[in-house]
Amino acid sequence: METSIHCQLHQEYQVQYIFLNQNNIKFGCIECISDLQDENHNANIFKNIFLLHDIQSSPQKLLTQISNIDDQNLQFYSCLHKKTETIIMQTFQNWENNMRNFQKKIDNIILQQKEFVEQLLINYKNTIKQLQQEIKFEEFQNLIKEFGTANEKLQNDVLEQISHKITQHFESLDKNNAKELNESLKRIKQEYINQAENLNQPDIQELQTSFQQLIKSTNDLYSQMGKSFNYITQMNSSLIPNSYSKYLLGLIKNKLNQDIKQIKLLYLGSRDGLNGQSLWNKIDGKKHLIYIFKSKNPGNNIFGSYISCKVNQDLNNWQSDESLSSFIFSYTHNEIYPLKQSQKQHAILCQPISYAVWIGMSGNIGICNDFINGQSYLGSSYEWDKFENQRSSHLFGGDSPNIEECEVYELQI
Ligand SMILES: [Zn+2]
């Protein structure tokens, strides 16, 4: 869409812009724009002016000129950006560099570890060799050989001589209470230990830092892909696989009968502090929250909840879920426990002074501010077919939650 047509008003400049005003389509140059800027301080006038070069790579911009275009369509297409390719390739490049860097570090650690093991082996073999010298092992070995040949021929007198020589061999090593030998052995032992201690054991600390970077840059890549390509990526949870997060999001979409526009990690226990106050600081005033917990109890149970109503730390009371879309889930047991209709007023208790998380009457998921204590009365407010009107260890894998990690995501609907 490049032109070499000169502007009618400013002959020295080429046409670069199209002015799309209804019933009055005009072409213009940079000087025309400059004139307009001088005359108008109202930015609205530029709304219908398009750089010809620009609309070539972003034809979606022309949709604004069609008066009956559906708003949702317009929103979707205007999010697609002409810089998408550059941005996404940069982010991908960055991710690839981090990956390759990690790979190099692993290769390097393997080499170092191999060298370390080889050095230890050399030291070990050296020491055995020195020991052999000190106890005159070769002489001893020769006596054994001699004994073997003599034995075959059953020469009793020779056998007696050899036995005597062997006894003498040990006696000579033992002379002066083995003072000399003990000193030598001590010296060799000390050399062996010094050698081993002076070798550098490879450090894997750096590998951990690289691995953290890798996770971060993978998250950056996924979130950039979501933004650039205008679609919802998965949660990238470190606790549940993406396939399960897709399943949860599908359930929520069905229950709400609405699209999820964006997913945001609001709170991460290991990053923000695994305590009630840190959690509430991050989630106060938010709605459509997905909580995911991992327990330290045997079995490392993973469970959580989707709470659709707003959580409010000043409420000091129950928050009800009129939509009845909230539910508890157990990833470990692959089960969903929906909020009971008769219990919709007990969706979640907003009482930060007592509890970090208190979902359903008596705490179907009940977690104290220390994330260690609490209880699970699963089934009282959220439907569980094995509910026996008492606490259970079904969700936690133990009597108390004993939480190791917690993630909270906010869905933008
Ligand atoms: Zn012009």
Side-chain angles (χ1 to χ4, degrees):
M1 233 180 272
E2 300 294 327
T3 76
S4 52
I5 302 161
H6 288 266
C7 179
Q8 286 184 328
L9 296 174
H10 314 93
Q11 280 297 324
E12 66 271 42
Y13 294 111
Q14 283 178 358
V15 163
Q16 287 185 338
Y17 294 90
I18 183 165
F19 297 64
L20 291 171
N21 294 311
Q22 276 184 334
N23 306 321
N24 185 17
I25 311 284
K26 283 195 291 192
F27 291 93
C29 70
I30 41 165
E31 198 57 27
C32 296
I33 297 283
S34 177
D35 288 350
L36 268 178
Q37 277 172 336
D38 290 342
E39 291 159 22
N40 296 280
H41 297 288
N42 178 5
N44 237 353
I45 195 146
F46 298 99
K47 200 175 72 186
N48 297 324
I49 302 174
F50 296 91
L51 186 62
L52 288 170
H53 173 76
D54 196 20
I55 52 178
Q56 185 167 26
S57 53
S58 305
Q60 60 268 35
K61 289 195 170 176
L62 292 177
L63 291 177
T64 55
Q65 298 305 307
I66 304 164
S67 39
N68 286 315
I69 205 88
D70 186 87
D71 237 18
Q72 293 206 335
N73 278 337
L74 193 62
Q75 236 181 32
F76 177 82
Y77 287 100
S78 59
C79 281
L80 299 177
H81 202 280
K82 70 167 180 176
K83 285 190 178 146
T84 291
E85 195 175 340
T86 328
I87 293 173
I88 207 72
M89 287 323 288
Q90 268 171 7
T91 319
F92 178 80
Q93 197 56 58
N94 189 27
W95 176 82
E96 188 182 340
N97 290 344
N98 277 317
M99 275 285 185
R100 302 253 176 246
N101 188 22
F102 189 62
Q103 194 173 34
K104 258 189 230 159
K105 284 194 172 143
I106 288 182
D107 288 345
N108 203 10
I109 293 265
I110 293 173
L111 278 180
Q112 286 178 35
Q113 195 71 266
K114 196 173 175 206
E115 201 183 296
F116 182 62
V117 169
E118 281 168 357
Q119 291 293 333
L120 284 174
L121 267 176
I122 290 174
N123 193 24
Y124 164 80
K125 286 180 184 164
N126 265 340
T127 303
I128 295 292
K129 212 167 158 188
Q130 288 187 63
L131 173 73
Q132 284 176 343
Q133 276 167 12
E134 292 302 324
I135 60 171
K136 303 188 176 74
F137 186 65
E138 216 181 319
E139 287 172 28
F140 176 76
Q141 233 175 353
N142 287 337
L143 290 172
I144 299 288
K145 266 186 214 158
E146 247 180 85
F147 172 78
T149 38
N151 202 16
E152 273 168 29
K153 296 169 190 163
L154 287 167
Q155 292 168 292
N156 281 329
D157 52 337
V158 180
L159 285 179
E160 236 168 76
Q161 275 179 29
I162 295 168
S163 299
H164 184 64
K165 278 183 194 167
I166 290 178
T167 314
Q168 275 185 328
H169 181 87
F170 286 113
E171 273 171 5
S172 83
L173 291 171
D174 208 21
K175 76 174 180 227
N176 293 333
N177 294 328
K179 189 169 175 257
E180 235 173 278
L181 181 63
N182 271 322
E183 268 166 20
S184 303
L185 290 180
K186 194 177 169 189
R187 178 179 46 79
I188 296 166
K189 182 183 86 180
Q190 204 49 53
E191 275 169 19
Y192 173 82
I193 291 170
N194 288 350
Q195 274 286 340
E197 280 178 353
N198 280 333
L199 290 174
N200 283 326
Q201 195 161 333
D203 210 335
I204 61 157
Q205 181 60 35
E206 218 189 324
L207 212 60
Q208 280 170 352
T209 321
S210 276
F211 186 65
Q212 291 302 326
Q213 265 168 8
L214 204 66
I215 292 191
K216 191 189 170 295
S217 93
T218 304
N219 281 329
D220 288 350
L221 177 64
Y222 287 167
S223 111
Q224 190 57 54
M225 286 195 289
K227 263 188 239 163
S228 291
F229 296 118
N230 207 11
Y231 78 103
I232 296 300
T233 51
Q234 302 309 312
M235 285 188 267
N236 281 321
S237 163
S238 62
L239 304 180
I240 56 169
N242 281 341
S243 58
Y244 192 74
S245 102
K246 209 170 181 173
Y247 163 70
L248 289 179
L249 296 175
L251 264 181
I252 295 165
K253 266 197 270 188
N254 272 342
K255 280 176 180 280
L256 298 175
N257 201 19
Q258 270 177 308
D259 276 342
I260 296 164
K261 294 207 182 77
Q262 204 56 258
I263 305 169
K264 205 172 145 192
L265 178 66
L266 283 185
Y267 169 80
L268 178 64
S270 57
R271 179 191 68 190
D272 302 322
L274 201 58
N275 61 75
Q277 196 51 58
S278 303
L279 171 75
W280 275 100
N281 286 343
K282 296 281 181 182
I283 65 170
D284 186 35
K286 308 283 188 187
K287 54 183 175 176
H288 297 298
L289 299 182
I290 297 180
Y291 296 77
I292 309 175
F293 304 96
K294 182 184 181 189
S295 172
K296 277 186 279 197
N297 290 331
N300 290 111
N301 281 18
I302 292 169
F303 56 92
S305 181
Y306 162 67
I307 299 294
S308 75
C309 48
K310 191 195 262 189
V311 295
N312 182 348
Q313 65 174 335
D314 297 327
L315 188 64
N316 255 319
N317 209 335
W318 288 99
Q319 183 68 285
S320 65
D321 172 17
E322 296 301 322
S323 74
L324 274 171
S325 51
S326 299
F327 60 86
I328 290 175
F329 62 87
S330 164
Y331 169 70
T332 304
H333 301 300
N334 195 17
E335 288 170 346
I336 300 288
Y337 320 98
L339 180 61
K340 292 178 183 177
Q341 186 151 18
S342 59
Q343 284 289 320
K344 64 180 179 185
Q345 73 276 22
H346 296 132
I348 187 164
L349 180 67
C350 299
Q351 205 172 70
I353 199 149
S354 323
Y355 308 113
V357 185
W358 202 261
I359 295 169
M361 273 296 260
S362 312
N364 288 217
I365 292 179
I367 297 172
C368 295
N369 280 318
D370 60 4
F371 275 79
I372 300 294
N373 294 298
Q375 64 182 62
S376 174
Y377 216 88
L378 183 65
S380 65
S381 297
Y382 288 79
E383 192 76 55
W384 179 38
D385 55 8
K386 296 186 183 70
F387 180 47
E388 284 171 346
N389 226 332
Q390 60 185 21
R391 290 184 192 185
S392 99
S393 58
H394 187 66
L395 276 185
F396 303 159
D399 289 336
S400 50
N402 228 344
I403 300 302
E404 178 180 286
E405 181 62 297
C406 169
E407 295 172 346
V408 181
Y409 294 87
E410 179 193 23
L411 306 181
Q412 271 145 30
I413 308 287

